Amino acid sequence: MELPVIDLAPYLEKSAKCSREVGEKKLDDPNLQKLCEEVSRTLAQTGALLVKDPRCSAQDNDRFIDMMEKYFQRPPQFKRLQERPHLHYQVGVTPEGVEVPRSLVDEEIQGKLRAMPKEFQPSTPMGPDPKWRYMWRVGPRPSNTRFQELNAEPVIPEGFPEWKDTMDSWGYKMISAIEAVAEMAAIGFGLPKDAFTSLMKQGPHLLAPTGSDLQRYGQEGTVFAGYHYDLNFLTIHGRSRFPGLNIWLRNGQKMEVKVPIGCLLIQTGKQIEWLTAGDCIAGMHEVVVTNRTTDAIKLALQQDRSLWRVSSTLFAHIASDAVLKPLGHFAGSPIASNYPPICAGEFVEQELAVINLKGNKGEL
């Protein structure tokens, strides 16, 4: 199965026109309505979606990856200067060997894995993920919040004068794409257009690229990110220079993702599952060195390119002080009681504790 590619341009054009024309609030174009329904249906059925956004170019993604390759190539002792364990690693760098894959510690997930057909089972991680990650907040922070450690100031490494501009530029563009998809999904689900985006305002959105050293860990079968779901609302990725991302569809089928040049991949997180009472479920995925990865390594060696696999990843969140609960007609779902109201920041803290990012090096 191939994921459909949704071109956001027609929706963005219509949306811009609606905002200019006072009084025209509803989407009255049947073709765009169908497009919105395709977005919501695809997210619900597969947990993933490919989009093309005219505001996010392949060149933007390349500029970002070029800089992150240079950063991850720096020595570990340099990178550790940007480490902030007391802030739950929610800003700055997370070194390799810290984050624990959910599948290693979650007994419910382990039970589901054992019940899977062999060909759909994920790779088994040997321990914590051997990947580095950089967390960079994007967008305005709330002036008053109960969750200060989830809304900390960003960390800028020395020797990268272009850092803030590059991170903010790419981060804002990817958030804009997520907001368009969130509006389209809301329309497709029969909710108000701003049902999701109103809750995202001043959320602790994170541009969170990973860096995986293929020179050290380039053997086929190496697990860089063990089988897990994302705890946030929606995750968006630009195209990586090395393949290796596998996702699981709602029917349990495992699928290797191929992101076309100039496209972005969007995945459902746990917060949208909460807001839709499980109509969307958080998509499971892993990053593993496959034979396609090793082919890309050989090509990079021939071309004298970096052997760091950088993921161009952004986690879009519901605002920390907003309440997660099933929205609109989803509140009437027979399983809505499985998703009781909880403050988004509280939910995030609970999830971070499970994967070893909160509380392991001292509390605030």
Side-chain angles (χ1 to χ4, degrees):
M1 174 185 170
E2 293 289 321
L3 291 173
V5 176
I6 305 288
D7 186 352
L8 302 184
Y11 176 79
L12 293 172
E13 285 163 19
K14 178 70 174 179
S15 199
K17 186 181 174 207
C18 284
S19 64
R20 285 194 303 269
E21 294 176 11
V22 181
E24 191 184 347
K25 298 289 181 192
K26 293 199 89 173
L27 195 66
D28 56 0
D29 184 324
N31 291 327
L32 284 184
Q33 181 68 38
K34 277 185 191 164
L35 198 61
C36 292
E37 286 165 7
E38 186 180 3
V39 166
S40 59
R41 185 175 62 250
T42 305
L43 288 175
Q45 290 176 355
T46 70
L49 183 70
L50 289 168
V51 300
K52 198 166 181 55
D53 186 325
R55 302 166 298 182
C56 303
S57 70
Q59 290 78 13
D60 292 327
N61 192 39
D62 284 341
R63 177 185 174 216
F64 171 75
I65 289 181
D66 287 345
M67 185 184 76
M68 291 313 304
E69 284 177 350
K70 282 182 206 155
Y71 173 76
F72 285 124
Q73 282 163 203
R74 297 296 298 271
Q77 59 270 31
F78 169 82
K79 289 181 284 197
R80 283 184 178 276
L81 296 174
Q82 290 87 52
E83 189 180 1
R84 301 291 185 271
H86 63 290
L87 296 176
H88 314 330
Y89 297 99
Q90 292 305 286
V91 290
V93 81
T94 308
E96 62 180 53
V98 171
E99 188 173 340
V100 174
R102 184 124 201 159
S103 52
L104 271 186
V105 291
D106 188 318
E107 289 180 7
E108 186 184 343
I109 288 180
Q110 288 168 358
K112 288 177 181 172
L113 294 187
R114 287 191 289 272
M116 275 184 187
K118 276 277 185 279
E119 69 270 23
F120 294 157
Q121 286 183 4
S123 303
T124 306
M126 297 294 107
D129 292 337
K131 69 175 190 291
W132 293 74
R133 188 190 287 283
Y134 207 98
M135 298 286 212
W136 178 262
R137 296 271 172 232
V138 179
R141 306 268 58 81
S143 51
N144 293 306
T145 175
R146 288 167 43 209
F147 303 95
Q148 290 295 342
E149 71 279 12
L150 298 182
N151 294 280
E153 286 302 304
V155 181
I156 301 175
E158 280 187 26
F160 288 84
E162 76 280 28
W163 187 273
K164 186 177 188 305
D165 179 58
T166 303
M167 298 297 260
D168 284 344
S169 169
W170 185 230
Y172 274 106
K173 285 182 179 186
M174 289 212 288
I175 285 176
S176 296
I178 287 253
E179 286 172 342
V181 169
E183 286 182 359
M184 293 173 79
I187 293 166
F189 283 129
L191 298 170
K193 171 181 161 179
D194 67 347
F196 299 131
T197 52
S198 60
L199 296 173
M200 289 170 63
K201 283 192 173 66
Q202 297 191 334
H205 311 308
L206 277 171
L207 183 55
T210 61
S212 305
D213 187 353
L214 294 170
Q215 196 154 13
R216 284 181 67 200
Y217 302 112
Q219 302 79 21
E220 191 170 340
T222 300
V223 182
F224 280 122
Y227 182 78
H228 67 288
Y229 62 75
D230 290 340
L231 60 87
N232 52 298
F233 172 61
L234 290 173
T235 301
I236 186 166
H237 306 270
R239 190 172 185 266
S240 174
R241 290 171 178 167
F242 296 90
L245 175 67
N246 294 320
I247 67 170
W248 276 259
L249 307 181
R250 189 156 190 163
N251 64 9
Q253 184 184 339
K254 179 180 178 180
M255 175 181 159
E256 186 178 8
V257 178
K258 296 169 184 172
V259 180
I261 291 172
C263 289
L264 301 159
L265 171 70
I266 290 178
Q267 292 177 281
T268 50
K270 204 69 179 175
Q271 292 175 351
I272 194 173
E273 180 177 329
W274 221 268
L275 297 170
T276 62
D279 199 63
C280 273
I281 59 168
M284 304 302 296
H285 50 282
E286 67 178 3
V287 179
V288 180
V289 177
T290 65
N291 58 351
R292 285 183 67 235
T293 319
T294 56
D295 288 344
I297 291 171
K298 287 172 196 162
L299 185 61
L301 281 167
Q302 288 168 17
Q303 297 176 348
D304 198 27
R305 287 191 286 108
S306 172
L307 289 184
W308 277 85
R309 182 193 188 275
V310 174
S311 75
S312 180
T313 301
L314 182 136
F315 299 121
H317 276 261
I318 298 304
S320 301
D321 296 276
V323 175
L324 290 175
K325 62 180 181 180
L327 299 176
H329 60 85
F330 291 119
S333 161
I335 60 165
S337 59
N338 293 349
Y339 300 95
I342 183 171
C343 205
E346 195 182 326
F347 173 77
V348 168
E349 288 187 337
Q350 289 175 10
E351 294 282 314
L352 291 175
V354 174
I355 58 175
N356 201 40
L357 294 183
K358 176 181 184 289
N360 62 321
K361 298 262 182 103
E363 296 286 352
L364 279 176

